[in-house]
């Protein structure tokens, strides 16, 4: 089937620290991969995406590379800010499907 | 921002009462989804729709029904609310499901069943 597994949280980092949030997936078709972010009290919004192997999605200093050989799409940021505190969701769609599949979310808190 | 409105934003109801949540979109997107978000479970799909009067079940559909009589409206009904249905409910829309599209989310409805 189709599923996404992401690292358990919560994650607490100091400002300017390096961030990695792991995400791996299984898919029956050819997946497109997404990272969504949810700020407190809000709905999810797209952070970045990648649609084929070796593509790198990037936005707001965040990056993730579509690794087909390891079925992974890890989220990274070189220097986090307090404003990055949020819940991050890894997700996928498949070219033969009609829905999005989400991981359980990873809560990030950045402290000054 | 995508035009998605969920109503109500907050609701407290008693066990055994019916509850209907509404999702309204102004984007004319084909797909609409209802998710619930719970600690430790992330987002779980309840039902989705791929067109007017075309709906299908998600992974946690028991106790919920949906209707879509117009492109812009997708209703989620709890026929007889239970405490286990206390959650935050999100509506989402997408134009299609492909590499070229994304899901857009509403602001959420916080439902408490007492």
């Amino acid at each position: 089937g189709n599923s996404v597994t992401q690292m358990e949280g919560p994650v607490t980092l100091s400002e300017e620290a390096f961030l990695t949030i792991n995400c791996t997936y299984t898919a029956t078709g050819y997946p497109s991969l997404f990272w969504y972010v949810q700020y407190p009290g809000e709905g999810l919004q797209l952070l970045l995406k990648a649609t084929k192997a070796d593509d790198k999605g990037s936005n707001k200093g965040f990056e993730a590379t579509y690794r087909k050989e390891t079925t992974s799409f890890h989220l990274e940021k070189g220097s986090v800010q307090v404003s990055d505190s949020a819940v991050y969701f890894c997700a996928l769609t498949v070219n033969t499907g009609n829905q999005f599949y989400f991981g359980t979310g990873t809560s990030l808190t950045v402290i000054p | 921002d995508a035009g998605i409105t969920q109503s109500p934003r907050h609701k407290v109801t008693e066990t055994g009462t019916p509850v209907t949540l509404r999702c309204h979109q102004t984007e004319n997107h084909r797909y609409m989804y209802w998710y619930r978000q719970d600690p430790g479970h992330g987002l779980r799909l309840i039902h989705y729709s791929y067109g007017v009067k075309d709906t299908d079940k998600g992974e946690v559909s028991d106790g919920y029904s949906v209707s879509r009589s117009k492109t812009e409206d997708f209703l989620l009904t709890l026929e007889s609310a239970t405490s286990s249905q206390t959650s935050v409910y999100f509506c989402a829309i997408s134009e299609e499901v492909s590499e070229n599209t994304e899901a857009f989310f509403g602001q959420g409805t916080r439902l408490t069943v007492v």
Side-chain angles (χ1 to χ4, degrees), chain A residues 27-39:
Chain A
T28 54
Y30 197 100
S32 295
L33 303 172
F34 306 81
W35 277 101
Y36 281 81
V37 59
Q38 182 183 31
Y39 298 104

Side-chain angles (χ1 to χ4, degrees), chain A residues 16-95:
Chain A
E16 299 184 2
F18 184 85
L19 169 71
T20 299
I21 301 177
N22 291 337
C23 171
T24 58
Y25 67 88
T26 59
T28 54
Y30 197 100
S32 295
L33 303 172
F34 306 81
W35 277 101
Y36 281 81
V37 59
Q38 182 183 31
Y39 298 104
E42 299 184 8
L44 282 70
Q45 56 187 275
L46 181 66
L47 179 60
L48 54 85
K49 69 178 181 182
T51 60
K52 59 182 186 294
D54 300 325
D55 269 2
K56 178 184 286 187
S58 61
N59 186 24
K60 300 181 180 180
F62 291 88
E63 294 182 338
T65 301
Y66 187 143
R67 301 287 188 199
K68 187 177 180 182
E69 63 276 13
T70 55
T71 62
S72 64
F73 192 56
H74 304 322
L75 182 68
E76 297 182 336
K77 187 175 186 182
S79 176
V80 294
Q81 305 300 312
V82 172
S83 58
D84 294 326
S85 297
V87 180
Y88 293 83
F89 291 89
C90 187
L92 68 82
T93 61
V94 293
N95 55 339

